C-alpha cells in the first residue's frame, strides 16, 4: 500500500504564516519559538480508481488539504556571523489539527469537495524541523534572511489503518 501511495501522490502547494520570536543566548546560538497557521497536504496524479478491474472510469485527481496551528521550537547555530550570517537550525513543532478537506476532480466533470470530520485525525502531532539560513544584517537589531526548511511528521496525523506522515520542504523569507 505504501509503495502504491508513493507512486500516485505528488506534492501540493501549501503555506505557513505566523509570528516567531528569537532569543539570542550568544552570538552563535539562538532559540526561536512561534505560533504559525499552516496548510499542508498532498495530491494524486491522474489515476483510475478501478485499475485492475474489468470496468474503467474517467481518470481522477484528488487533493488533500490539512489545516494546523503549529508551535515550533527551534535552535539556531550560527557558523558564520559576519556581513553575511550562516546558520543551521534543528527543532520540532507541536501541531494542532484544525480541519481538512479532499477535493476530487473527475476529468470533464465538476470538482467535488468533502470536509473531513475532526475525529478521523489526531488532535496533536509532532514534526521534526531542519534547515539552513542565510541572514544579512541591515542594522544593529534588524536583518533580512532566507531559510531552506524541511518539516517531517514524526507522529501520524490520522487515526485510520493507513497512517499519514506529511512532510514539506520550503523557503522562509523574513
Amino acid at each position: 500500500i505504501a509503495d502504491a501511495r508513493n507512486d500516485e501522490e505528488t506534492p501540493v502547494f501549501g503555506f505557513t504564516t505566523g509570528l516567531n520570536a528569537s532569543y539570542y543566548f550568544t552570538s552563535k546560538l539562538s532559540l526561536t519559538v512561534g505560533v504559525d497557521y499552516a496548510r499542508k497536504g498532498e495530491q494524486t496524479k491522474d489515476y483510475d480508481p478501478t485499475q485492475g478491474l474489468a470496468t474503467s472510469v474517467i481518470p481522477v485527481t484528488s487533493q488533500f488539504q490539512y489545516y494546523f496551528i503549529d508551535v515550533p521550537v527551534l535552535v539556531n547555530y550560527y557558523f558564520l556571523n559576519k556581513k553575511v550570517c550562516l546558520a543551521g537550525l534543528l527543532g520540532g513543532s507541536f501541531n494542532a489539527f484544525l480541519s481538512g478537506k479532499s477535493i476530487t476532480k473527475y476529468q470533464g466533470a465538476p470538482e467535488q469537495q468533502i470536509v473531513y470530520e475532526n475525529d478521523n485525525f489526531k488532535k496533536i502531532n509532532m514534526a521534526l524541523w531542519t534547515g539552513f539560513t542565510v541572514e544579512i544584517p541591515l542594522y544593529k537589531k534588524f536583518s533580512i534572511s532566507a531559510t531552506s526548511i524541511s518539516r517531517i511528521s514524526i507522529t501520524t496525523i490520522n487515526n485510520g489503518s493507513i497512517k499519514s506522515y506529511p512532510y514539506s520542504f520550503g523557503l522562509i523569507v523574513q
Side-chain angles (χ1 to χ4, degrees):
I1 293 176
D3 289 338
R5 285 187 68 187
N6 287 338
D7 289 342
E8 291 176 358
E9 293 176 355
T10 61
V12 66
F13 179 77
F15 67 87
T16 301
T17 186
L19 295 172
N20 295 281
S22 296
Y23 178 79
Y24 290 82
F25 295 102
T26 68
S27 62
K28 291 193 172 276
L29 189 66
S30 70
L31 179 71
T32 301
V33 179
V35 176
D36 300 330
Y37 174 79
R39 184 183 83 184
K40 305 169 188 178
E42 67 263 357
Q43 63 189 4
T44 61
K45 302 173 188 173
D46 282 346
Y47 72 100
D48 181 349
T50 61
Q51 188 174 6
L53 301 176
T55 61
S56 183
V57 298
I58 298 170
V60 174
T61 302
S62 295
Q63 186 178 97
F64 306 94
Q65 298 175 356
Y66 315 112
Y67 299 89
F68 293 91
I69 294 292
D70 295 347
V71 179
V73 178
L74 310 169
V75 174
N76 306 284
Y77 181 79
Y78 291 83
F79 300 100
L80 180 64
N81 211 348
K82 305 281 182 189
K83 289 184 178 184
V84 174
C85 303
L86 303 176
L89 72 85
L90 178 64
S93 64
F94 294 96
N95 311 313
F97 178 78
L98 299 174
S99 67
K101 68 179 176 178
S102 166
I103 301 168
T104 302
K105 297 177 185 172
Y106 296 92
Q107 191 175 39
E111 71 180 36
Q112 298 176 356
Q113 292 193 25
I114 299 170
V115 176
Y116 294 130
E117 295 297 325
N118 289 354
D119 59 352
N120 293 332
F121 289 84
K122 295 190 178 216
K123 303 289 185 231
I124 301 289
N125 66 72
M126 294 181 290
L128 174 68
W129 293 42
T130 60
F132 185 76
T133 300
V134 176
E135 185 175 324
I136 301 170
L138 301 175
Y139 303 103
K140 273 188 173 181
K141 301 281 183 179
F142 297 99
S143 63
I144 187 168
S145 66
T147 302
S148 64
I149 191 98
S150 69
R151 296 183 292 196
I152 301 167
S153 290
I154 56 177
T155 59
T156 183
I157 66 167
N158 60 335
N159 292 315
S161 59
I162 299 174
K163 303 298 182 195
S164 183
Y165 298 87
Y167 61 89
S168 64
F169 302 97
L171 181 66
I172 300 169
V173 179
Q174 306 178 34

